[in-house]
Structure formats: structure tokens, C-alpha cells
């Protein structure tokens, strides 16, 4: 296949491991920018993680952003032009799309970005036409996100670090790596077969996590999803006595993919498990009082923007968190990063640069919100999930984990520390905090796609 040549060449920089000289991987498109934000200005970092939307799907037509109102598809061996259609979270949202490793590679089609019809043919969804991936969300539905982008910073070159579904993306956002050996020739890919996706999964032979090696061989019978080799940001934060919290749904209800530290054995069975806070809605109660220095927040499926949920609550969920922080004493020295963990199978027109055999994968949106963030600014700097890890390291003076965080650009392009810190303006949204605080947590896995 055409994609093999592209990915095998990229495998030379496997798993984002930096060279001994610290140089970027050959052929990378990274620009060199200053990567050290002013740590005496930013004292709190909040990372809000949503689900399964490409950049073109979420921000189609946003001024100054790299979007395209049409795409291309292979149809019976012929390339055809397809217009992106508006869809609502609750109307026209026909269901989940193929978005595992295999679908990622098919959609990518060696960089042509035209395999989305083929994915729908290979892994059909009842009632979903081939054109379904060629969509963008109704702007009324996503108005809170657009307001945040207009007031602060939108990054249009944030790429998921690796091919595949959400599980590895969430690990990348705390560990900057999913490799399983020191040679970095074997890594996790996609999602574990049995939930919950971590140390609390039932211990039997079917509880495995798929892997991918540098020869592009995928093995569904990988390790049990309870890992000891990932230091994650928790380790350097603990070493410097810097408090952190990870807000996630309870494991016994909807915590499969979202409670990522459940997959880190030394956290799950150690004192750090006290930093994993459930239910996730406690962030809305804690933020008005005082944030800890580093916070991650993940939603239930219904509040995650995930396709097929038939729910329009995701933008309000994020806006309510941002508002709670913005109206708190912590606003004056906080940076909030909002991003989506993978493309969800939706069309995007920008080919992701290939840095190793794992990716980069498709573009996802990222917002940077802070009193020091540039106003109504679209950052065109190339980012990946290691950029978020690097930002936290830079703010708090932590040593690099030494993986994708080392090769990635930091987020300094999003900030202007010479400007006077801006007063917060509340983000209008449909659902108030009480809607989430009093909601029952639904049962069921948030994301079961393996294609």
C-alpha cells in the first residue's frame, strides 16, 4: 500500500524519541519557536479533554483558520469532490464513525485524505451514508467554542500524536508516550478489549490492549491495560510537591476511557489515586474556590461531543468550567487548554506530518484561554499532544519526560506576556452548571470502536 512507504520512512523517528543531539526528526515541519512561558505569570494549568471531532468538523469557516468547505473521496476508483454538510449534535448526528487505527490509515490514504468513503464501506454503520464523515457542526450548537476562539486563541495545526482511537490519546496527554519497550519499536494502539480500560478491568485472557510495532504489524493480544513503565507528569509533579488533580467519571459507571490514571499501576494502587476526583462535576464546585496547579478534566460520553450521543451539552459543559475558573480568584494566573482527543472519523483536509510509525494523526481543535492569551488569534504553529505536556513542564520548571514532549513545540505562540492581563468575560451557553452537577452519570462504554 502507498501508506507503507510513508510510514516506514517515518518509523526512523519511532515513538517520538529525540535523538542524542536533541534534533527534531528528519523531514519534520516543526518551526522553531521559544518554548518557555513566563512561569511567574501562569500558576495554574487546566486541560479539558473532549472527544472525537476533527478541526474541519468543529471550526469549518472560522476566520483566518485553515479550513475547507469541501473534501475529496475515492468513489469506485475515481476521486470525487464532496461538499461538507452542516449537522447538529441532536439532528443528523447518525452515530459513531470508524476511527480506530485501521480507519485512520484508510482515511489518510498515503496523505491524499480521501479514504473516508472506503472506511464507511469497510466498516458500515446502519443508516449512515458514505457522505456522513463530510460534515461540520451547526454553528449554533458550537457557539460557545467559537466565542472562546474569538476571545482567545484557536490553534489550527494541533495534530493527535498517533494513529488510532481515544485510549492512547489520553495516555499521550499525561505521559507523552505509549511505547512498551526501550527500543521504542512497540507501542499501544487503539482501545483495550474489555472495560474499564485500566487496572480495574477484569483479569482474564480477553482483557488485552492492541499493539503496533515499527513494521506496522497490529496485534490485538497485547498487554493487560495496567502499566508500570509510564512515569507520566504525575511523577515530576510529585517530586516537586506540586499538587495535581484529574477529574473523571466514576469507574463503576462511565470511567472506561476517561479515567486514564486507572491504567497507571503505581497511581492506581498508590497514594496518588487520591488525586483522581469523581464525579467529574466536582470541578464546577472546586474551581470557584481554588484550583490546584495542574488539573485535567474529562467528561461523560453525553457531555463529550462524541458522535452518536444525541446530546448538545458538550459545549456548555466546557463553557461552564471556563466560566467557573474565569469568575474565580485563580483566573488572573491560569491557562486553560481545551482540545479533542481524536478526529472521530470526520473529514479533515490537512495531511498530518509523519514523524514516526505512530503518526502524527489527524488535526483536532485546540483552544488556549488565559488573561495572557492573544485575542482572536489563530495560531498556525504545529502542535501535538506532547506540546501540552511540554507546556506544563515549562510552566512549573519540570524536567522533560524525554519523549514527544521533547520534540514538540511549546505553546508560547498563544501568549503575550507583555500585555495587561485581560478581565474575564463570561462565555454564554445553553446549560447552566446545575444541569451537570445534578445529572445522573449514565452507564455504558463511551467509545468501543476498534476500526
Amino acid at each position: 500500500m502507498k501508506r507503507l512507504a510513508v510510514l516506514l520512512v517515518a518509523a526512523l523517528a519511532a515513538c517520538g524519541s529525540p535523538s542524542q543531539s536533541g534534533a527534531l526528526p528528519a523531514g519534520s515541519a516543526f518551526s522553531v519557536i521559544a518554548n518557555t512561558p513566563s512561569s511567574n505569570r501562569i500558576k495554574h494549568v487546566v486541560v479539558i479533554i473532549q472527544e472525537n471531532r476533527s478541526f474541519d468538523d468543529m471550526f469549518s469557516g472560522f476566520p483566518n483558520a485553515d479550513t475547507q468547505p469541501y473534501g475529496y473521496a475515492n468513489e469506485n476508483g475515481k476521486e470525487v469532490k464532496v461538499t461538507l454538510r452542516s449537522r447538529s449534535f441532536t439532528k443528523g448526528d447518525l452515530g459513531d464513525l470508524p476511527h480506530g487505527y485501521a480507519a485512520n490509515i484508510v482515511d489518510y490514504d498515503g496523505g491524499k485524505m480521501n479514504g473516508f468513503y472506503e472506511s464507511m464501506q469497510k466498516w458500515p454503520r446502519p443508516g449512515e451514508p458514505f457522505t456522513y464523515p463530510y460534515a461540520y457542526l451547526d454553528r449554533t450548537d458550537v457557539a460557545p467554542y467559537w466565542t472562546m476562539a474569538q476571545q482567545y486563541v484557536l490553534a489550527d495545526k494541533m495534530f493527535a500524536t498517533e494513529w488510532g482511537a481515544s485510549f492512547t490519546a489520553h495516555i499521550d496527554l499525561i505521559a507523552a508516550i505509549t511505547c512498551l519497550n526501550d527500543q521504542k519499536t512497540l507501542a499501544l494502539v487503539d482501545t483495550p478489549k474489555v472495560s474499564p480500560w485500566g487496572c480495574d478491568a477484569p483479569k482474564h485472557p480477553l482483557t488485552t490492549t492492541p499493539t503496533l510495532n515499527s513494521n506496522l504489524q497490529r496485534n490485538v493480544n497485547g498487554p493487560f491495560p495496567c502499566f508500570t513503565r509510564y512515569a507520566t507528569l504525575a511523577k515530576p509533579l510529585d517530586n516537586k510537591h506540586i499538587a495535581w488533580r484529574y477529574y473523571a467519571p466514576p469507574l463503576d459507571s462511565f470511567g472506561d476511557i476517561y479515567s486514564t490514571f486507572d491504567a497507571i499501576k503505581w497511581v492506581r494502587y498508590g497514594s496518588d489515586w487520591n488525586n483522581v476526583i469523581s464525579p467529574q462535576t466536582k470541578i464546577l464546585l472546586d474551581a470557584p474556590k481554588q484550583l490546584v496547579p495542574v488539573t485535567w478534566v474529562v467528561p461523560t460520553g453525553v457531555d463529550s461531543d462524541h458522535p452518536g450521543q444525541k446530546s448538545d451539552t458538550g459545549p456548555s459543559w466546557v463553557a461552564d468550567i471556563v466560566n467557573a475558573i474565569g469568575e474565580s480568584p485563580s483566573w488572573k494566573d491560569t491557562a486553560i487548554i481545551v482540545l479533542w482527543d481524536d478526529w472521530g472519523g470526520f473529514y479533515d483536509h490537512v495531511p498530518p506530518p509523519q514523524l514516526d510509525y505512530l503518526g502524527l494523526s489527524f488535526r483536532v481543535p485546540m483552544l488556549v484561554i488565559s488573561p495572557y492569551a492573544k485575542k482572536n488569534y489563530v495560531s498556525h504553529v504545529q502542535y501535538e499532544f506532547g506540546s501540552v505536556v511540554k507546556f506544563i513542564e515549562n510552566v512549573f520548571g519540570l524536567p522533560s519526560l524525554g519523549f514527544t514532549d521533547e520534540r514538540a513545540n511549546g505553546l508560547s505562540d498563544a501568549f503575550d506576556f507583555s500585555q495587561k492581563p485581560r478581565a474575564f468575560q463570561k462565555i454564554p451557553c445553553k446549560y447552566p452548571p446545575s444541569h451537570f452537577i445534578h445529572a445522573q452519570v449514565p452507564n455504558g462504554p463511551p467509545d468501543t470502536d476498534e476500526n
Side-chain angles (χ1 to χ4, degrees):
M1 294 178 66
K2 296 176 182 178
R3 56 107 177 173
L4 288 176
V6 175
L7 295 181
L8 283 172
V9 170
L12 296 174
C15 281
S17 175
S19 68
Q20 290 182 350
S21 66
L24 296 174
S28 81
F30 281 98
S31 60
V32 178
I33 63 172
N35 283 320
T36 306
S38 179
S39 59
N40 65 342
R41 302 287 181 89
I42 302 298
K43 297 180 180 178
H44 300 92
V45 177
V46 180
V47 183
I48 302 173
I49 308 167
Q50 294 292 96
E51 287 284 311
N52 292 46
R53 296 287 173 177
S54 72
F55 191 93
D56 277 338
D57 182 62
M58 183 65 71
F59 283 101
S60 179
F62 191 88
N64 300 317
D66 185 359
T67 68
Q68 186 171 281
Y70 59 89
Y72 293 96
N74 279 325
E75 186 175 38
N76 300 321
K78 181 181 178 181
E79 188 172 75
V80 296
K81 187 176 180 179
V82 186
T83 300
L84 272 61
R85 302 295 184 184
S86 175
R87 297 189 187 277
S88 166
F89 279 124
T90 56
K91 296 178 182 178
D93 183 18
L94 303 178
D96 203 1
L97 285 164
H99 62 278
Y101 170 77
N104 218 147
I105 297 303
V106 170
D107 289 354
Y108 175 69
D109 191 18
K112 293 182 179 179
M113 307 296 282
N114 63 4
F116 293 81
Y117 275 17
E118 188 178 348
S119 284
M120 299 298 288
Q121 290 173 316
K122 284 179 174 289
W123 303 285
R125 304 308 204 244
E128 294 181 10
F130 293 165
T131 55
Y132 180 39
Y134 295 82
Y136 64 89
L137 284 164
D138 181 273
R139 292 176 188 173
T140 301
D141 276 10
V142 297
Y145 295 140
W146 279 55
T147 299
M148 294 176 208
Q150 288 160 349
Q151 291 188 15
Y152 300 102
V153 175
L154 173 66
D156 71 353
K157 293 294 185 296
M158 163 59 92
F159 297 90
T161 290
E162 58 188 276
W163 304 115
S166 298
F167 180 69
T168 51
H170 284 244
I171 292 178
D172 281 322
L173 285 163
I174 63 172
I177 192 171
T178 65
C179 286
L180 292 167
N181 59 8
D182 292 340
Q183 295 76 28
K184 301 180 180 64
T185 56
L186 182 69
L188 302 174
V189 70
D190 290 333
T191 59
K193 282 184 171 182
V194 179
S195 62
W197 295 344
C199 299
D200 285 279
K203 294 177 174 61
H204 59 67
L206 292 179
T207 309
T208 60
T209 309
T211 62
L212 184 73
N213 68 25
S214 55
N215 292 321
L216 306 181
Q217 296 169 322
R218 186 177 180 272
N219 178 11
V220 298
N221 297 312
F224 182 80
C226 187
F227 306 106
T228 59
R229 68 178 292 111
Y230 305 126
T232 78
L233 278 169
K235 189 70 74 176
L237 288 169
D238 288 348
N239 290 343
K240 291 196 71 170
H241 306 288
I242 297 171
W244 60 272
R245 286 183 179 175
Y246 191 98
Y247 290 85
L251 286 172
D252 60 356
S253 56
F254 213 160
D256 293 358
I257 198 169
Y258 301 112
S259 200
T260 304
F261 276 106
D262 185 50
I264 309 302
K265 187 173 184 179
W266 65 269
V267 171
R268 177 62 186 92
Y269 297 118
S271 59
D272 268 353
W273 189 244
N274 293 325
N275 297 327
V276 179
I277 310 298
S278 296
Q280 74 292 343
T281 52
K282 286 186 177 180
I283 182 62
L284 295 169
L285 302 174
D286 291 347
K289 303 171 187 176
Q290 184 63 50
L291 289 173
V292 297
V294 179
T295 301
W296 292 268
V297 187
V298 289
T300 60
V302 72
D303 300 328
S304 71
D305 303 327
H306 197 292
Q309 294 288 337
K310 307 295 183 184
S311 171
D312 63 351
T313 58
S316 292
W317 160 251
V318 174
D320 284 336
I321 298 170
V322 172
N323 288 337
I325 297 168
E327 296 173 342
S328 77
S330 299
W331 167 250
K332 65 183 183 299
D333 52 23
T334 294
I336 304 169
I337 301 163
V338 182
L339 52 77
W340 286 255
D341 65 359
D342 68 57
W343 90 116
F346 288 102
Y347 181 77
D348 195 83
H349 79 283
V350 177
Q354 295 307 284
L355 303 185
D356 59 39
Y357 68 92
L358 297 173
L360 303 175
S361 183
F362 292 151
R363 282 195 312 170
V364 295
M366 182 176 71
L367 298 161
V368 181
I369 302 158
S370 173
Y372 294 100
K374 296 175 182 177
K375 185 175 182 178
N376 193 18
Y377 178 70
V378 177
S379 176
H380 304 301
V381 173
Q382 185 172 302
Y383 300 117
E384 60 173 297
F385 292 162
S387 299
V388 177
V389 175
K390 184 174 201 150
F391 178 70
I392 295 172
E393 292 167 344
N394 287 339
V395 167
F396 297 102
L398 305 177
S400 173
L401 293 174
F403 305 116
T404 60
D405 54 325
E406 188 159 320
R407 78 182 182 192
N409 279 318
L411 303 183
S412 60
D413 185 55
F415 295 91
D416 180 0
F417 290 108
S418 67
Q419 72 183 17
K420 182 179 178 181
R422 286 191 280 143
F424 181 73
Q425 296 182 16
K426 189 172 182 177
I427 308 298
C429 62
K430 182 176 180 179
Y431 299 96
S434 59
H435 172 88
F436 303 100
I437 292 171
H438 300 304
Q440 291 186 340
V441 180
N443 290 306
D447 192 343
T448 58
D449 195 276
E450 292 186 0
N451 303 123

